[in-house]
């Protein structure tokens, strides 16, 4: 559980950094990653054509909304944390910031919960669990490739 939270935070930070520098190169890389993710999930879930036609619009809408929440709301928090004034935050301001972060995390949780609920009528519970596993495996592989490239392997 702790590892998945750390992984999620790393991916969020990488995503926010990419969004801040969203030039043509970054957009192309994001599209490549999205294409790889779609192919990976498709392979892992073995969706029927009927399932796929219902699944992908739900999945894409979920991904877009999740990214929007992370971009708009969490970006401000990370910017404040990088700022020199972060060390000068009062306890009151820090508590308010924590409350906002908790609220946004709850919003992301509710979005995920709604997404899973909408999937229940489209794919089987086993495939929903496989989706969760496939996303985690994809993120793990992506992070490993990033590490390998950074270390020159």
């Amino acid at each position: 559980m702790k590892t998945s939270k750390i992984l999620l935070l790393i991916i969020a930070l990488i995503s926010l950094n990419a969004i801040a520098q969203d030039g043509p190169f970054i957009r192309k890389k994001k599209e490549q990653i999205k294409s790889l993710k779609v192919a990976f999930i498709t392979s892992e879930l073995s969706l029927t054509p009927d399932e796929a036609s219902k699944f992908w619009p739900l999945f894409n809408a979920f991904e877009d909304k999740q990214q929007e929440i992370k971009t708009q709301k969490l970006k401000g928090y990370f910017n404040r944390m990088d700022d020199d004034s972060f060390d000068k935050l009062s306890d009151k301001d820090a508590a308010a910031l924590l409350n906002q972060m908790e609220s946004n995390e709850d919003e992301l949780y509710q979005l995920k919960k709604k997404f899973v609920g909408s999937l229940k009528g489209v794919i089987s519970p086993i495939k929903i669990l496989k989706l969760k596993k496939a996303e985690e495996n994809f993120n793990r592989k992506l992070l490993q490739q990033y590490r390998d490239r950074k270390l020159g392997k």
Side-chain angles (χ1 to χ4, degrees):
M1 182 75 171
K2 187 177 181 180
T3 305
S4 64
K5 286 185 178 184
I6 292 170
L7 182 62
L8 179 64
L9 180 61
I10 290 170
I11 291 170
L13 288 172
I14 291 169
S15 298
L16 289 173
N17 188 34
I19 290 165
Q21 306 168 13
D22 209 10
F25 176 76
I26 298 297
R27 270 185 249 123
K28 183 177 178 183
K29 285 292 181 192
K30 285 171 34 177
E31 289 171 11
Q32 287 175 337
I33 290 170
K34 186 172 183 171
S35 295
L36 290 171
K37 185 175 185 177
V38 167
F40 189 82
I41 289 172
T42 299
S43 170
E44 294 293 307
L45 295 185
S46 302
L47 296 172
T48 67
D50 185 49
E51 288 174 330
S53 70
K54 296 173 184 171
F55 171 80
W56 287 112
L58 292 173
F59 183 83
N60 290 332
F62 167 73
E63 288 274 295
D64 290 346
K65 182 64 176 170
Q66 182 176 247
Q67 189 62 38
E68 179 185 321
I69 291 169
K70 288 177 182 179
T71 301
Q72 291 178 350
K73 298 184 178 170
L74 297 178
K75 185 178 178 183
Y77 304 135
F78 290 117
N79 285 344
R80 283 188 72 176
M81 287 181 195
D82 291 339
D83 194 11
D84 292 333
S85 65
F86 179 71
D87 292 329
K88 298 173 187 169
L89 277 177
S90 69
D91 284 346
K92 182 180 176 182
D93 290 340
L97 186 58
L98 280 173
N99 286 336
Q100 288 176 342
M101 290 175 76
E102 289 172 354
S103 174
N104 290 331
E105 288 298 323
D106 186 52
E107 187 177 354
L108 284 169
Y109 171 75
Q110 293 301 325
L111 178 66
K112 289 175 188 176
K113 191 174 175 180
K114 182 180 175 186
F115 173 61
V116 169
S118 66
L119 286 180
K120 287 179 181 177
V122 174
I123 59 176
S124 70
I126 300 261
K127 286 187 179 182
I128 294 172
L129 292 174
K130 284 183 177 183
L131 170 63
K132 177 68 174 159
K133 184 179 178 188
E135 287 182 297
E136 288 179 9
N137 287 342
F138 178 80
N139 289 337
R140 193 173 295 117
K141 287 180 180 189
L142 185 65
L143 191 57
Q144 187 59 47
Q145 286 180 354
Y146 178 76
R147 285 182 188 144
D148 291 348
R149 206 176 293 156
K150 280 285 201 186
L151 297 174
K153 290 185 180 179

